[in-house]
Amino acid sequence: MSKLILCGFILCLLSFNGINSTSHTCSKNPEDTSACSQDGESESGCGCQKNRETDSSSRVDVNENQLEPEASEADSSSANFDADFPRTNQMILVEGGTYTMGTDVPIFVADGEAPARRVELPDFYMDMHEVSNAEFEVFVEDTEYKTEAESFGDSFAMDLFLSQATKSKISQAVKDAPWWLPVKGANWRHPEGPDSNIENRMNHPVIHVSWNDAKAYCEWAGKRLPTEAEWEYACRAGKDDRLFPWGNKWNPGGKYYGNIWTGSFPNENTGEDGYRTTNPVTEFPPNAFELFNMVGNVWEWTSDWWTIRHSPLVVHSNPQGPKNGKDKVKKGGSFMCHKDYCYRYRCAARSQNTPDSSAQNLGFRCAADKKKLPSYLEHIEL
Ligand SMILES: [Ca+2]
Ligand SMILES: [Ca+2]
């Protein structure tokens, strides 16, 4: 049985240690744009990834005639905190156990989805939702934290959602994924560039946050990022051999359980599932562990460094991933995932970015050890 943990106090009154210990080790040129370090599989097609670091060979000129303009609201006012929005720091106690992580039937072999291997985990807590804009704003107001997208001065957003004015200032895109544009002034408060805002999206997931930003938030909240093994266990919610948290059909009976790209990627998004971009963090039915949007909506950072080598020969006990690496693992896919381009909205699927990377479809949620539940959370039995 899971226990619902609700926030009983106001986070902004709390003082956490750790925010100052956030490591901003990146010293890359803020003028750098994305590299496309994809595996070369035609189907994966770089639909999911873009890293901040790059070289000039991975950039291409933007052909304005190929872009499908969609004007965003020309309101540059800063976001207002919606006090009515229910706080998102609710946590679910996930009872530990042994499960099958990964798959022996990989869609993207180069991603290291295979092999299936047994993993055992102790009990842990998982945020019920992706971290919302409202919650992230409390963190920023409490700490004056500056995200890496704000420090670098840009982040990646999709051309389809940008205003013509914003696109007119961009001259380069990501090679092999020209829908990804480095947008000056794009950050969590301005997801589609300076002329956009989050005023009516405070209950949507925060985006344009790097792994370093996510780590800082979780530490401030007295939590931590989930390991990949924890994240996938929580995603599956007891269904080891299924593609999605609820089964193998994406929309059984015509009902949608998550937000991906519907229509023809990248030029047409029908919004058939209700959303063309992000959705509120409590939209769509939760999985059997009462966790929302584990697949779809936004990608979620995990604490693990990236590797594609996994041993099927041993039972992995609470694996933490490699000790070091270049990229961090992200899970779950996003509203930009289409089956033809980025069929990664499956529990076993995975992808990676450098820890300083940020984008319009990348967010996170936090976890906590069973014995390290933040003191400001009070237990309420469901
Ligand atoms: Ca959608
Ligand atoms: Ca998600």
Side-chain angles (χ1 to χ4, degrees), residues 276-294:
R276 296 177 68 247
T277 58
T278 56
N279 60 262
V281 293
T282 53
E283 278 299 304
F284 296 102
N287 70 9
F289 286 175
E290 299 294 325
L291 302 168
F292 290 85
N293 295 293
M294 291 299 291

Side-chain angles (χ1 to χ4, degrees), residues 100 230 346:
T100 301
E230 288 174 333
R346 297 168 288 114

Side-chain angles (χ1 to χ4, degrees), residues 259-262 269 271 273 275-277 335:
N259 177 11
I260 58 170
W261 190 285
T262 56
N269 188 334
D273 53 21
Y275 298 92
R276 296 177 68 247
T277 58
F335 69 90

Side-chain angles (χ1 to χ4, degrees), residues 1 4-6 25 83 105 156 171 176 193 203 217 282 328 332:
M1 294 293 290
L4 172 65
I5 308 304
L6 295 174
T25 55
V105 191
F156 283 90
S171 60
D176 298 329
N203 58 352
Y217 174 93
T282 53
K328 288 290 184 179

Side-chain angles (χ1 to χ4, degrees), residues 81 89 99 129 165 169-170 175 220 240 265 284 297 322 381:
F81 177 64
N89 49 7
Y99 81 110
H129 326 131
K169 298 173 185 152
I170 301 169
K175 186 180 180 182
W220 167 81
D240 280 13
F265 189 87
F284 296 102
N297 206 21
E381 294 282 349

Side-chain angles (χ1 to χ4, degrees), residues 97-270:
T98 303
Y99 81 110
T100 301
M101 183 177 180
T103 177
D104 284 330
V105 191
I107 305 292
F108 297 114
V109 174
D111 284 357
E113 295 177 9
R117 61 273 187 196
R118 297 293 282 170
V119 167
E120 60 182 12
L121 294 173
D123 297 350
F124 62 96
Y125 285 100
M126 189 70 124
D127 278 355
M128 178 182 272
H129 326 131
E130 296 147 338
V131 173
S132 69
N133 283 319
E135 205 69 31
F136 199 77
E137 184 174 69
V138 176
F139 161 60
V140 168
E141 291 187 348
D142 187 43
T143 62
E144 298 183 356
Y145 185 83
K146 192 174 181 182
T147 62
E148 292 198 282
E150 292 168 290
S151 296
F152 285 117
D154 63 16
S155 188
F156 283 90
M158 188 178 183
D159 56 7
L160 194 61
F161 304 113
L162 304 180
S163 70
Q164 203 59 51
T166 295
K167 282 194 292 191
S168 68
K169 298 173 185 152
I170 301 169
S171 60
Q172 292 184 312
V174 179
K175 186 180 180 182
D176 298 329
W179 49 86
W180 277 121
L181 301 179
V183 179
K184 298 275 186 219
N187 56 54
W188 73 278
R189 287 193 188 277
H190 304 286
E192 296 86 25
D195 59 359
S196 66
N197 66 67
I198 54 172
E199 191 171 355
N200 297 315
R201 290 181 279 181
M202 296 308 289
N203 58 352
H204 286 228
V206 64
I207 50 180
H208 295 296
V209 282
S210 69
W211 184 89
N212 293 317
D213 299 332
K215 178 172 179 284
Y217 174 93
C218 290
E219 288 179 354
W220 167 81
K223 304 176 185 179
R224 59 173 172 77
L225 283 169
T227 65
E228 181 183 8
E230 288 174 333
W231 192 100
E232 187 167 326
Y233 182 72
C235 181
R236 293 182 177 282
K239 294 182 183 295
D240 280 13
D241 57 350
R242 298 292 189 272
L243 295 170
F244 313 120
W246 54 87
N248 281 330
K249 274 202 76 174
W250 177 248
N251 56 339
K255 182 176 180 179
Y256 283 102
Y257 289 79
N259 177 11
I260 58 170
W261 190 285
T262 56
S264 176
F265 189 87
N267 292 321
E268 181 203 21
N269 188 334
T270 64

